[in-house]
Amino acid sequence: MKILVTGGLGFIGSHTCVELLNANYEVIIIDNLSNASIDVLDKIEEITSKRPKFYEYDVCDKVKIGEIFKENKIDAVIHFAGYKAVGESVSEPLKYYRNNLDSTLTLLEVMKEANCHNFVFSSSATVYGTPKELPIKEDFPLSTTNPYGTTKLMIERILQDVSYADKDFSIIVLRYFNPIGAHKTGLLGEKPNGIPNNLMPYIVRVADKELPILSVFGDDYDTPDGTGVRDYIHVVDLAKGHLKALEKVVNFKGIDYYNLGTGNGYSVLDLVKTFEKVNNVKVPYKIVERRPGDIAACYADPTKAYEELGFKAEYGIEDMCKDSYNFILKNKERQK
């Protein structure tokens, strides 16, 4: 099967491409390199001994996307491409609405024209807003607290309408919790351009003395230590979840939704202390004001994904912290 992976050189996309290639899928990647590096393509090849076909295009460019579908008989699409930083979305909402909605609409239009109807969408636990209770189940009410989450929820609504209108479409929506970690080889990991917006890349850079101190946004939440609680999932587990979704998407019609998480909640300070312990480094931090758009706690009930997809996260928080730091150390070795 030929799988088109949008944003395939990004953090989650690249790990998913590795798992797809290892499972003998034929992979075609599109990425505009706005938050990724071309050398990730070499690293995917180094890990798998296979080189995916690559297009440096923007998913919003309908003509270019159409060319990919004309040149390749695509069987399914996994859609990662999109802006993803909560904080940035609050300060630059138009950028997020334009890019995230446009890219998805363009992709769906081209897919329909090309008679390709299998679609796996990279959504987010942010669509649950501030949950009424924990853990979070797929049938909980949906709402959002920031523009990034709103783009994900809007796209979910679009996909629901597409599925209703065109019975040929088969759509799986994966609601991620908080992916961290890196590939065991240290070749792939999260390395955002500029100052990181997400917690683990920031912790790693502080531990490596690239940045002086970690800002912890609020210590007065209604959580055990006052800092925000999240469900962290290893990126390799998350990538494997996409293969499970792909197995289902080619064998049913309609739309379905799955949480991808571990079901465990850890606070910001839990993560910092675990990182310090397993890597034997210090991560200096300071408490600052809460960040707009953040909520106190968020963790999954992963039962549905286990029962219907056969997906269960295997790695724990210590693995995630070890692998995240190993990626940075390995990168420094290669640069010498």
Side-chain angles (χ1 to χ4, degrees):
M1 282 178 66
K2 285 189 180 179
I3 314 300
L4 177 65
V5 182
T6 74
L9 297 187
F11 176 45
I12 303 168
S14 61
H15 285 83
T16 302
C17 287
V18 165
E19 297 302 323
L20 288 166
L21 290 165
N22 284 339
N24 294 318
Y25 288 98
E26 193 172 336
V27 175
I28 296 152
I29 296 172
I30 173 172
D31 200 302
N32 67 0
L33 304 181
S34 66
N35 197 28
S37 172
I38 190 63
D39 68 354
V40 171
L41 196 60
D42 297 328
K43 291 170 181 174
I44 291 172
E45 184 178 18
E46 193 174 334
I47 293 168
T48 64
S49 301
K50 299 172 186 175
R51 190 172 186 86
K53 188 183 283 191
F54 173 68
Y55 294 87
E56 188 182 339
Y57 292 163
D58 192 305
V59 186
C60 296
D61 188 331
K62 189 172 182 181
V63 173
K64 297 290 190 186
I65 302 302
E67 287 174 11
I68 294 175
F69 278 83
K70 285 190 183 78
E71 291 170 18
N72 306 275
K73 180 71 180 80
I74 307 290
D75 295 297
V77 176
I78 304 179
H79 182 35
F80 293 106
Y83 296 141
K84 62 174 187 176
V86 168
E88 184 185 51
S89 78
V90 174
S91 60
E92 296 191 65
L94 292 177
K95 173 180 172 180
Y96 274 67
Y97 287 117
R98 170 64 69 190
N99 182 75
N100 292 6
L101 296 176
D102 261 10
S103 59
T104 309
L105 290 167
T106 299
L107 196 54
L108 290 167
E109 286 170 354
V110 175
M111 285 179 68
K112 191 172 171 66
E113 289 165 11
N115 204 31
C116 174
H117 297 103
N118 299 317
F119 192 73
V120 177
F121 177 57
S122 166
S123 192
S124 164
T126 55
V127 300
Y128 295 114
T130 303
K132 61 179 173 49
E133 60 180 295
L134 295 169
I136 295 168
K137 297 183 179 180
E138 286 85 353
D139 60 359
F140 274 23
L142 304 178
S143 65
T144 59
T145 61
N146 56 71
Y148 162 72
T150 305
T151 67
K152 293 296 188 184
L153 185 52
M154 284 179 164
I155 292 166
E156 287 199 14
R157 299 284 194 223
I158 290 165
L159 293 174
Q160 198 174 348
D161 290 341
V162 167
S163 169
Y164 179 79
D166 188 338
K167 302 304 182 190
D168 287 330
F169 264 96
S170 169
I171 301 169
I172 299 287
V173 173
L174 298 177
R175 293 172 178 158
Y176 308 163
F177 281 68
N178 289 64
I180 58 174
H183 198 269
K184 292 288 182 190
T185 59
L187 288 167
L188 294 177
E190 189 169 13
K191 197 177 180 186
N193 297 329
I195 301 294
N197 285 292
N198 294 329
L199 179 59
M200 182 55 88
Y202 212 108
I203 288 175
V204 166
R205 290 201 192 174
V206 171
D208 201 40
K209 298 185 170 55
E210 281 186 53
L211 293 170
I213 194 164
L214 171 71
S215 293
V216 176
F217 296 103
D219 66 347
D220 57 350
Y221 287 105
D222 184 17
T223 61
D225 64 18
T227 64
V229 167
R230 298 292 182 269
D231 185 338
Y232 296 99
I233 178 170
H234 198 294
V235 65
V236 172
D237 277 331
L238 190 66
K240 289 176 179 175
H242 290 78
L243 270 68
K244 296 291 188 183
L246 202 53
E247 289 168 15
K248 173 163 182 173
V249 86
V250 297
N251 288 307
F252 96 124
K253 298 295 180 195
I255 186 168
D256 214 339
Y257 308 82
Y258 296 93
N259 290 335
L260 292 187
T262 66
N264 300 308
Y266 293 95
S267 74
V268 174
L269 294 184
D270 285 335
L271 197 65
V272 169
K273 288 168 185 172
T274 303
F275 188 95
E276 289 182 327
K277 183 182 81 175
V278 300
N279 294 309
N280 195 27
V281 291
K282 290 302 291 178
V283 180
Y285 66 87
K286 63 179 178 180
I287 306 297
V288 298
E289 287 185 5
R290 293 185 183 189
R291 186 171 57 178
D294 278 348
I295 60 173
C298 176
Y299 55 92
D301 181 338
T303 306
K304 186 182 177 189
Y306 177 67
E307 291 179 348
E308 296 185 15
L309 299 181
F311 170 77
K312 190 174 193 304
E314 295 172 6
Y315 294 108
I317 196 77
E318 293 194 350
D319 295 303
M320 301 178 212
C321 289
K322 274 184 198 167
D323 293 342
S324 295
Y325 197 46
N326 180 53
F327 169 66
I328 291 296
L329 296 178
K330 284 287 200 300
N331 263 279
K332 285 177 76 172
E333 283 175 23
R334 284 193 296 272
Q335 288 166 8
K336 285 178 182 174

